[in-house]
């Protein structure tokens, strides 16, 4: 068990470009969550999956944000037409159904110039 | 009013001090309460987990939940420089079906 893995750890991009982050959860965890954390704030929930089904996506910040978990294993979070306000740490977490405790990855930090 | 309120600090204490960190919340449906520790540029890691009201102790750490006052606390005894981090409270209403709601985090520095 190598924990929750996120890639890349840091992405620098120019405004208007698309970016994609990948998350590999703990192998036996069927639930996967995405959170966003800005400087000086706590993590803010974005979306989550149970297996390949996206059970909640109303908190995605805009229609520029989308997430997938096509085979119920790894997940991707894509941000299209990035804006400077998208600069943040994007955290992935996983757990098993019915559990409340989340195991977080180290995060993917996005800087939009 | 935010669902979870947490004083962001920063809080600076000498090594060996007892540290008290607190959160208040407004949603009476919250039943599951957690404290996460986050080092700079890292993801949060679980420190303490409690269900409903009461106390839980783990080594130098004690978590308290007072649901009647909607108030939770984390105490750190004999604080060490390695405890310097941001401490996030988190809570949830359901058994895994509702997302964790986090406080802003309190930045703690323990000075040797």
């Amino acid at each position: 068990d190598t924990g929750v893995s996120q890639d890349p750890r840091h992405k620098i991009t120019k405004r208007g470009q698309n970016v994609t982050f990948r998350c590999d959860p703990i192998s036996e965890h069927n639930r996967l969550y995405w959170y966003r954390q800005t400087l000086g704030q706590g993590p803010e929930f974005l979306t989550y999956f149970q297996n390949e089904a996206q059970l909640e996506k109303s908190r995605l910040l805009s229609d520029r944000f989308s997430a997938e978990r096509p085979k119920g294993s790894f997940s991707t979070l894509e941000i299209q037409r990035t804006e400077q306000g998208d600069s943040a740490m994007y955290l992935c977490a996983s757990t098993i159904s019915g559990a409340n405790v989340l195991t977080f990855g180290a995060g993917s930090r996005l800087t939009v110039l | 009013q935010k669902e979870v309120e947490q004083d962001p600090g920063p809080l600076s204490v000498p090594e060996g001090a007892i540290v008290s960190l607190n959160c208040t919340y407004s949603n009476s449906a919250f039943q599951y309460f957690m404290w996460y520790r986050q080092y700079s540029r890292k993801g949060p890691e679980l420190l303490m987990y409690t269900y409903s009201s009461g106390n839980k102790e783990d080594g130098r750490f004690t978590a308290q939940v007072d649901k009647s006052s909607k108030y939770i606390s984390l105490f750190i005894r004999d604080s060490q420089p390695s405890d310097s981090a941001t401490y996030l409270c988190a809570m949830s209403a359901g058994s895994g079906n509702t997302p964790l709601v986090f406080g802003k985090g309190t930045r703690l520095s323990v000075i040797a």
Side-chain angles (χ1 to χ4, degrees):
Chain A
D1 180 1
T2 57
V4 179
S5 177
Q6 292 190 245
D7 184 70
R9 291 294 314 279
H10 189 194
K11 176 75 175 178
I12 301 172
T13 192
K14 292 183 179 178
R15 187 164 51 94
Q17 297 295 303
N18 299 343
V19 296
T20 300
F21 301 113
R22 177 181 168 123
C23 173
D24 288 88
I26 292 171
S27 56
E28 60 266 30
H29 287 182
N30 60 344
R31 286 205 172 174
L32 186 150
Y33 295 75
W34 286 99
Y35 280 78
R36 182 181 80 154
Q37 187 176 25
T38 53
L39 202 60
Q41 302 295 316
E44 174 189 11
F45 170 74
L46 297 178
T47 187
Y48 85 103
F49 295 85
Q50 177 161 308
N51 301 312
E52 65 275 10
Q54 191 171 12
L55 298 187
E56 172 62 64
K57 57 181 180 180
S58 65
R59 309 270 195 96
L60 285 168
L61 300 162
S62 78
D63 58 8
R64 297 185 296 106
F65 287 71
S66 63
E68 292 184 340
R69 194 183 183 198
K71 296 181 181 178
S73 55
F74 73 91
S75 175
T76 57
L77 176 70
E78 182 182 18
I79 308 172
Q80 295 183 328
R81 306 180 304 281
T82 52
E83 301 173 357
Q84 287 187 323
D86 296 333
S87 295
M89 176 82 89
Y90 291 86
L91 293 163
C92 176
S94 69
T95 190
I96 57 174
S97 298
N100 294 287
V101 173
L102 302 184
T103 301
F104 282 87
S108 291
R109 189 157 60 98
L110 174 65
T111 301
V112 182
L113 302 176
Chain B
Q1 181 188 10
K2 294 196 71 156
E3 274 192 298
V4 180
E5 300 277 2
Q6 183 176 10
D7 185 340
L11 182 62
S12 185
V13 301
E15 183 176 358
I18 296 174
V19 176
S20 171
L21 305 168
N22 311 291
C23 289
T24 59
Y25 62 94
S26 58
N27 187 344
S28 57
F30 287 148
Q31 298 185 77
Y32 302 88
F33 304 92
M34 279 143 265
W35 287 94
Y36 282 81
R37 178 174 61 195
Q38 186 174 28
Y39 292 110
S40 182
R41 305 289 175 101
K42 304 286 188 186
E45 56 176 337
L46 181 71
L47 206 52
M48 299 288 282
Y49 169 59
T50 52
Y51 168 68
S52 195
S53 284
N55 293 0
K56 185 172 183 179
E57 188 173 321
D58 183 2
R60 297 185 295 110
F61 299 90
T62 300
Q64 289 185 350
V65 174
D66 181 349
K67 289 187 70 181
S68 63
S69 301
K70 298 191 180 69
Y71 187 88
I72 71 170
S73 301
L74 177 71
F75 297 95
I76 307 173
R77 289 183 299 281
D78 186 25
S79 55
Q80 303 295 308
S82 58
D83 295 328
S84 298
T86 296
Y87 290 80
L88 297 153
C89 63
M91 45 200 82
S92 154
S95 183
N97 293 321
T98 54
L100 284 185
V101 180
F102 284 83
K104 278 188 174 184
T106 300
R107 195 194 310 179
L108 171 68
S109 293
V110 181
I111 311 300

